[in-house]
Amino acid sequence: MQKLNPIRLSAAVLLIALLFSVQSKAQGSNRSKIDSLSGLINNAPDDTLRAHRMYLLSLQYDYFNSTERVTWLVAAFNLSKSIGYTNGMNRIAPRLVNLLFHRSMNDLALRYCYEYMGWLTETNDSIGLQKTYNLYGNLLGRMEKYRDAFVYYNKALDYNTRVGDQKQCAYILSNLSLLMTNMGKADSALYYGEQSIELLRPMNDPSALSNAILGKAEILLSMGDTAGALPFAQEALLGYTVINLTLGIVNSEFVLGDIALRKERAEEALEHYKRAYVLLDSLQLYDQKKELCLRISECLGTLGRYQEAYTYQLLYKQFNDSSAAETRKNKMTEIEVKYEITRKDNELQEKSTALDQSRNQRNLLIGGMLSVLLLLALSMWAFWVKKKSNLLLAEQKKLVEEKQQDILDSIHYAHRIQRALLAYDDLLEQNLDSFFVLHKPKDIVSGDFYWACKNENGFYIAVCDSTGHGVPGAFMSLLNSTFLSEALREKQLVHPDEVFNYVRDRLVESISKEEQKDGFDGILFRILPGTIEYAAAGNPPVRVKQGVSEKLPFDRMPVGKSERREPFTRYSATYETGDSFYLFTDGYADQFGGPKSMGKKFKIKRLCETLEAIGTRSPEEQRQHLDTVFKAWKGSNEQVDDVLVIGVKF
């Protein structure tokens, strides 16, 4: 049985998300309110007011793209739970779980939903517990635990039926309809959907009613009943149009196009799909756009308009790449959120440990001033307190070690994600005659990265050194590689200097606030037959020709905010068979070490001499030799920066 169209499935969530996003961005701009609330938290007269102010502060940050929105809600949740603040828990916990649900942080959402339901059970709040069943069912459905979700949706339906909340009953029935569709039970999906529509028609909720009606149209379409689906899709379109709900209109046009296509009316289907595509133009909903591009391409192919069909195939690929980049960005944001939550948990644990130690010392001092007659008793008591303290410290030490391991696991996961973002070997092997890559991050993740792209304008390869190293550098490398892809794939820029100019503008407008100078030094090659066109920011490429090395020209400014803001220069260099080019960051040349650990830098001059000596060897031998020389030079010194060297031989 065919599942419902993914565009319609996410409609309600996306509408809520867009509304929250607009509201959160407006709030996030109020810097003075954030500063004011931060000060009020520290000066709160009691923990109840402190938890409430933490909750208010969380609302000032962006709903989807900030870590602070989550971490302050978590802090308010933990404080409310520890002091038994019932009103705070009932206000904060559902918002925290919904926020994590909308940001697709499913494991965190499930964790805090479990904690909240456990707290409600411990406090004997059966009414509050029953109110969470619909939310819990949503989480289970997201994780494809359909049978468990069905159980909890029905518990929620029973409760709301008993208390007479018809609107909540309608929403839960709509959820059950979607659940049945995902389980491949179209008849049951239709049954629940019709019940939801029946409850919603007398109510003043046109958005929910239109959602339910469109859902029925999709179910009928999945069952092959195009005649039955058509009037419901048209009714949904009318309902969304009356309230001017753009995404609802898009979904309705999509379904009407599917109905026409099923009836082999390609021209009519094309009109519906194109109207939906125009409405989506201003929204960054890449999954929906790529689905529409596929449908439009299919219609155009059926109509024999192959050139236009090919254009939409290209747009599909572009939106597919954008969707993948957005997914990677969201995953990195999730890692950052988990890291911040763990860090704050550790801080609280360390403060608690320090407070316990301080209290123990005070008790020992008081005991020392007591009379000699009580000395023996006090000594025994002090011994008992010390033993108890040591046991507590041992437990706390174990907890801190577990938290640190969680952080390390998250960073290792980030490393796997970052490795997936680097130019993959197959792409390099298909477009380079002979090459090697030496990549040695200072920490687990790296600010240095290499990136490649192949299109009709040539083969592009870049070696870049982002601001910072470790986790901050990794976040910058993700952003920088995303902007490079955007320049070539979405903006369709051709020349390396134009790409660097565009990426610099994107970095300045996105993150260079309050005089921050984040960005990268880097080299971008565009390889053409017999010629290399390149841009170089902060670092020079090196050419080795007939055993002689030559540093090629470069611009002495970074890709980012700096004192210089001239356009980047478009350089070019010719090559012949046997010539080698080397692209590297400054980590290798800046490494301290040398004979007898004198603490000198390796420097570019010595690196060029090394490259001259190994130019005739195979790529793997060159990589191994450079690695051996680097280790010998570094000796027992700490590695000072990320190291990245790429050699290309023609």
Side-chain angles (χ1 to χ4, degrees):
M1 180 75 63
Q2 180 184 0
K3 289 188 178 182
L4 286 180
N5 191 295
I7 293 181
R8 214 279 296 177
L9 279 172
S10 59
V13 174
L14 283 170
L15 287 171
I16 294 170
L18 288 171
L19 289 172
F20 271 116
S21 179
V22 171
Q23 179 187 21
S24 299
K25 288 178 180 176
Q27 294 169 330
S29 63
N30 192 350
R31 187 70 234 177
S32 62
K33 194 168 185 179
I34 290 175
D35 295 338
S36 175
L37 282 169
S38 298
L40 290 173
I41 288 171
N42 296 328
N43 299 323
D46 56 63
D47 286 338
T48 298
L49 190 54
R50 182 175 292 108
H52 180 64
R53 289 172 178 175
M54 288 176 175
Y55 162 71
L56 294 179
L57 179 57
S58 73
L59 301 181
Q60 309 310 311
Y61 292 97
D62 184 83
Y63 192 82
F64 271 100
N65 298 311
S66 68
T67 59
E68 292 88 353
R69 180 97 176 194
V70 178
T71 53
W72 278 115
L73 267 179
V74 168
F77 175 93
N78 289 335
L79 182 56
S80 298
K81 183 180 177 183
S82 66
I83 63 176
Y85 178 26
T86 301
N87 289 339
M89 283 294 287
N90 292 336
R91 180 190 305 112
I92 294 162
R95 285 171 172 80
L96 173 60
V97 176
N98 271 308
L99 171 63
L100 295 168
F101 176 80
H102 290 147
R103 292 174 72 163
S104 297
M105 299 180 184
N106 300 324
D107 52 346
L108 283 176
L110 202 59
R111 166 190 166 181
Y112 287 106
C113 190
Y114 277 145
E115 284 195 34
Y116 179 48
M117 292 173 70
W119 184 82
L120 291 170
T121 301
E122 291 174 4
T123 56
N124 297 316
D125 187 355
S126 61
I127 294 177
L129 186 63
Q130 291 176 89
K131 288 181 178 180
T132 66
Y133 288 156
N134 186 46
L135 176 58
Y136 189 45
N138 289 339
L139 290 174
L140 293 169
R142 171 74 66 80
M143 302 180 75
E144 298 185 359
K145 297 181 178 180
Y146 297 136
R147 295 187 182 279
D148 293 337
F150 180 77
V151 171
Y152 279 93
Y153 279 145
N154 276 284
K155 286 184 177 182
L157 186 61
D158 289 343
Y159 168 73
N160 285 284
T161 300
R162 288 199 309 273
V163 300
D165 192 335
Q166 296 293 298
K167 182 172 286 191
Q168 282 298 318
C169 287
Y171 295 159
I172 296 166
L173 287 166
S174 183
N175 288 339
L176 280 164
S177 178
L178 291 175
L179 182 69
M180 290 298 103
T181 300
N182 286 332
M183 294 175 71
K185 298 180 178 181
D187 291 336
S188 297
L190 190 60
Y191 168 75
Y192 288 119
E194 289 174 341
Q195 282 192 313
S196 177
I197 293 171
E198 184 179 347
L199 290 177
L200 286 168
R201 284 201 183 277
M203 299 179 189
N204 185 23
D205 193 345
S207 174
L209 176 60
S210 297
N211 282 341
I213 291 171
L214 186 61
K216 181 175 180 179
E218 290 187 276
I219 296 168
L220 290 170
L221 180 60
S222 72
M223 298 171 72
D225 185 2
T226 54
L230 181 60
F232 289 103
Q234 291 171 336
E235 183 182 356
L237 176 60
L238 178 61
Y240 288 129
T241 303
V242 169
I243 60 176
N244 195 27
L245 200 55
T246 301
L247 193 57
I249 296 171
V250 168
N251 294 334
S252 301
E253 293 284 11
F254 199 110
V255 174
L256 286 167
D258 285 350
I259 292 171
L261 196 62
R262 189 75 65 85
K263 293 181 176 181
E264 298 183 357
R265 298 175 182 172
E267 194 72 52
E268 179 184 340
L270 183 61
E271 291 178 7
H272 288 296
Y273 292 144
K274 283 197 170 182
R275 281 198 289 269
Y277 184 81
V278 170
L279 289 170
L280 276 179
D281 184 58
S282 62
L283 303 176
Q284 292 182 332
L285 303 178
Y286 301 119
D287 286 338
Q288 289 83 338
K289 287 183 178 181
K290 71 179 185 180
E291 289 292 334
L292 276 170
C293 285
L294 277 180
R295 295 287 208 286
I296 292 172
S297 178
E298 181 182 350
C299 290
L300 290 168
T302 302
L303 296 170
R305 294 156 64 179
Y306 302 115
Q307 185 62 40
E308 291 180 72
Y310 177 68
T311 299
Y312 280 95
Q313 284 289 337
L314 293 178
L315 285 171
Y316 167 79
K317 185 179 184 304
Q318 174 184 326
F319 292 136
N320 191 51
D321 291 343
S322 298
S323 176
E326 189 72 16
T327 299
R328 293 194 296 268
K329 177 183 174 183
N330 291 341
K331 181 55 67 175
M332 291 301 292
T333 302
E334 179 179 357
I335 292 171
E336 183 181 0
V337 167
K338 289 181 178 179
Y339 175 81
E340 286 298 319
I341 290 175
T342 304
R343 184 179 64 81
K344 287 195 174 184
D345 285 347
N346 286 342
E347 288 178 356
L348 291 172
Q349 191 63 48
E350 289 171 359
K351 288 179 181 178
S352 175
T353 302
L355 182 61
D356 287 342
Q357 290 175 331
S358 176
R359 288 172 178 169
N360 289 338
Q361 291 173 357
R362 182 186 62 192
N363 290 338
L364 290 174
L365 287 174
I366 292 173
M369 292 186 292
L370 292 176
S371 66
V372 176
L373 294 176
L374 298 176
L375 181 61
L376 180 60
L378 288 174
S379 298
M380 293 176 63
W381 177 82
F383 172 79
W384 176 80
V385 169
K386 188 68 175 177
K387 182 177 179 180
K388 182 179 179 181
S389 176
N390 288 339
L391 290 173
L392 178 60
L393 288 173
E395 292 176 0
Q396 293 171 341
K397 180 175 180 293
K398 181 180 178 182
L399 181 60
V400 169
E401 290 173 348
E402 290 174 352
K403 296 291 186 183
Q404 290 173 338
Q405 185 61 46
D406 288 343
I407 295 172
L408 192 60
D409 290 343
S410 293
I411 294 175
H412 278 295
Y413 184 66
H415 172 66
R416 292 197 297 271
I417 294 175
Q418 188 180 39
R419 290 294 303 170
L421 296 176
L422 298 178
Y424 51 92
D425 290 343
D426 288 347
L427 180 62
L428 298 180
E429 289 171 357
Q430 291 167 9
N431 292 279
L432 298 174
D433 296 331
S434 179
F435 73 97
F436 71 84
V437 177
L438 175 63
H439 190 197
K440 298 172 70 66
K442 178 182 184 297
D443 301 308
I444 298 171
V445 289
S446 170
D448 288 5
F449 69 96
Y450 55 100
W451 172 95
C453 176
K454 170 68 175 176
N455 62 25
E456 65 273 18
N457 297 315
F459 177 71
Y460 297 79
I461 182 169
V463 166
C464 303
D465 180 4
S466 303
T467 305
H469 50 73
V471 173
F475 288 139
M476 281 303 302
S477 72
L478 171 64
L479 190 62
N480 293 331
S481 64
T482 299
F483 286 160
L484 286 170
S485 296
E486 183 177 298
L488 283 171
R489 292 171 178 157
E490 296 185 23
K491 301 303 178 181
Q492 298 182 349
L493 300 179
V494 175
H495 303 293
D497 57 311
E498 296 173 342
V499 173
F500 273 8
N501 289 332
Y502 173 82
V503 174
R504 177 172 60 188
D505 291 341
R506 291 288 281 122
L507 287 168
V508 169
E509 71 184 23
S510 299
I511 63 172
S512 295
K513 311 297 183 186
E514 301 177 355
E515 299 307 312
Q516 292 175 214
K517 296 183 179 180
D518 295 316
F520 65 89
D521 292 337
I523 303 165
L524 175 60
F525 273 15
R526 177 191 177 204
I527 300 176
L528 301 167
T531 304
I532 292 175
E533 184 180 272
Y534 74 92
N539 282 333
V542 170
R543 174 172 57 192
V544 175
K545 188 179 188 68
Q546 297 179 352
V548 178
S549 65
E550 174 190 6
K551 287 196 297 182
L552 299 179
F554 67 102
D555 292 325
R556 297 181 182 275
M557 58 182 176
V559 180
K561 191 169 186 177
S562 68
E563 295 177 0
R564 291 184 60 190
R565 189 63 190 275
E566 299 90 356
F568 285 97
T569 306
R570 185 185 306 167
Y571 297 104
S572 65
T574 60
Y575 63 85
E576 299 174 352
T577 301
D579 291 353
S580 296
F581 288 79
Y582 298 89
L583 301 83
F584 47 83
T585 60
D586 58 6
Y588 200 112
D590 286 350
Q591 179 60 45
F592 290 104
K596 300 181 181 178
S597 298
M598 295 179 65
K600 298 182 294 184
K601 287 187 177 181
F602 192 88
K603 295 188 176 179
I604 290 181
K605 180 180 178 182
R606 185 177 282 107
L607 177 57
C608 289
E609 292 171 353
T610 304
L611 296 175
E612 289 178 353
I614 64 175
T616 59
R617 300 184 185 181
S618 69
E620 180 57 23
E621 289 175 336
Q622 291 188 48
R623 188 195 67 77
Q624 290 180 0
H625 184 82
L626 285 172
D627 192 25
T628 300
V629 170
F630 181 84
K631 290 176 180 177
W633 178 267
K634 182 173 74 71
S636 60
N637 293 296
E638 180 183 0
Q639 183 173 331
V640 299
D641 200 357
D642 302 320
V643 171
L644 176 58
V645 181
I646 291 184
V648 178
K649 187 172 183 179
F650 296 93

